[in-house]
């Protein structure tokens, strides 16, 4: 059995792997796709001390760092179920999709999250070519340009306020007839001179030419009329979904499906820790996930040295 089994190989899992292995304990990482969301990122300019890199490069560097230590990396392995230890200090089991079972004294869950797609024509085609999901990451790329935000909940309205300070103009598109964000955010948004809000508006297409976004089409749900907004960027803000469906009923989750952790990365299950985008950690970023992975690994080590 492993001393520490990490499920998920994004920045959180890779950092946890390095920190655990450096304690000289038996460490494994099982990941559906090593590198995680980082693989899908074009430019990364906010990982501190690295001025600029791209997703595939950072993903390869994460893997190389983990492989520099004695870590068992099991790539293309999806976990399907976790079974807590029967008694304190006992082994935790992780059942894999392929039928196998891994056993460990401690487990770190770092399965990340995925952005919900709007699923309209153009979204997939222009991903990273004008279609973006993370305003903290990609907002500065649209400096002085026109953008839209799809989604009028808290994250959409926060994104629109954030972008309005950087870009030339923001069009906010909300499907429902009112914005669902907190009133204080909505008031702030409405006070901004370079923001247009369309409610009751259904995005129907993201258009582009020469490999770049050039517009967004939406239907006014009251009149049925189609409109086109010329722009350079579209931020989709209709939810970040944690990859925690497989943990339901075993590990305590928030109403958003995030694994509930304390400041040290403990979950409600003894010996089970969690880190990164799959948890309640505020702000979902690479540097934050990596830090949380280190925290979880140190907590797992702390747990192990207290066992008989
Ligand atoms: P993830 O990176 O999501 O990794 C999760 C890991 O778990 C993967 O290995 C996955 O395959 C695995 N996994 C999932 N389910 C299972 C399972 N059941 N069994 C086994 N393995 C499983 N952040 C920044 O800081 N800067 C940026 O510029 C930036 N740009 C971004 C651009 C895009 C397009 C996207 C999508 C995100 C961006 N982010 C950026 C956010 C950043 O990528 C995430 O915050 C970060 O990757 C989270 O790390 P993580 O390790 O928690 O999860």
């Amino acid at each position: 059995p492993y001393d520490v089994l990490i499920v998920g190989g994004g920045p959180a899992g890779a950092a946890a792997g390095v920190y655990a292995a450096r304690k000289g304990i038996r460490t494994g990482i099982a990941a559906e796709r090593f590198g995680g969301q980082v693989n899908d990122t074009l430019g990364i300019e906010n990982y501190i001390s690295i001025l600029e890199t791209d997703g595939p490069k950072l993903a390869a560097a994460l893997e190389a760092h983990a492989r520099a230590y004695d870590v068992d990396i099991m790539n293309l392995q999806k976990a399907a179920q976790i079974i807590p230890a029967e008694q304190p200090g006992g082994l935790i089991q992780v059942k894999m999709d392929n039928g196998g079972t891994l056993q460990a004294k401690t487990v770190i869950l770092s399965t990340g999250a995925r952005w919900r797609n709007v699923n309209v024509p153009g979204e997939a085609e222009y991903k990273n070519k004008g279609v973006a999901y993370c305003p903290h990451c990609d907002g500065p790329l649209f400096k002085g340009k026109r953008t839209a935000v799809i989604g009028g909940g808290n994250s959409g309205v926060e994104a629109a306020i954030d972008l309005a300070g950087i870009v030339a103009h923001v069009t906010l598109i909300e499907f429902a007839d009112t914005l669902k964000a907190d009133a204080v955010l909505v008031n702030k948004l409405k006070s901004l001179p370079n923001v247009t809000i369309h409610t009751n508006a259904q995005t129907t297409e993201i258009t582009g030419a020469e490999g770049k976004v050039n517009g967004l089409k939406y239907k006014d749900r009251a009149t049925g009329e189609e409109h086109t907004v010329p722009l350079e960027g579209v931020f989709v803000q209709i939810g970040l979904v944690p990859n925690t469906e497989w943990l339901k009923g075993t590990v305590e989750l928030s109403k958003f499906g995030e694994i509930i952790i304390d400041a040290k990365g403990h979950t409600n299950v003894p010996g089970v820790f969690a880190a990164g985008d799959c948890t309640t950690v505020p702000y979902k970023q690479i540097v934050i996930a990596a830090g949380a992975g280190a925290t979880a690994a140190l907590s797992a080590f702390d747990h192990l040295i207290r066992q008989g």
Side-chain angles (χ1 to χ4, degrees), residues 7-13 30-38 40-41 43-44 46 77-79 110-113 115 128 137 243 246 275-277 284-287 289:
V7 184
E32 195 178 352
R33 185 173 63 136
F34 205 94
Q37 290 170 73
V38 168
D40 304 326
T41 305
I44 299 166
N46 57 3
Q77 297 295 327
K78 185 172 181 186
S110 53
T111 47
W115 293 95
N128 288 327
C137 313
N243 299 318
W246 63 289
D277 280 16
K284 286 18 185 192
Q285 293 284 282
I286 297 167
V287 70

Side-chain angles (χ1 to χ4, degrees), residues 112-193:
R114 57 191 189 274
W115 293 95
R116 192 171 278 140
N117 294 329
V118 273
N119 292 320
V120 294
E123 182 185 29
E125 189 179 348
Y126 296 110
K127 202 170 260 186
N128 288 327
K129 296 169 186 160
V131 175
Y133 296 83
C134 172
H136 313 303
C137 313
D138 296 339
L141 301 177
F142 296 92
K143 190 170 181 218
K145 297 184 175 166
R146 297 164 299 180
T147 64
V149 172
I150 301 174
N154 276 340
S155 48
V157 172
E158 281 167 13
I161 295 168
D162 174 358
L163 290 168
I166 305 171
V167 306
H169 187 268
V170 181
T171 304
L172 185 114
I173 308 277
E174 165 58 47
F175 182 84
D177 56 7
T178 52
L179 300 181
K180 300 279 178 251
D182 299 341
V184 53
L185 291 172
V186 173
N187 291 339
K188 170 81 188 182
L189 184 72
K190 288 184 173 164
S191 76
L192 299 173

Side-chain angles (χ1 to χ4, degrees), residues 5 13 37 59-60 63 69 71 73 104 109-110 127 132 181 189 194 200 210 226 235 240 247-248 288 291-292:
L5 173 64
Q37 290 170 73
E63 185 165 347
Y69 291 93
V71 178
I73 295 186
L109 303 167
S110 53
K127 202 170 260 186
L189 184 72
N194 59 340
N200 224 355
E210 291 161 11
E226 285 262 0
F235 284 80
L240 183 67
L247 299 167
K248 261 180 206 153
I288 292 170

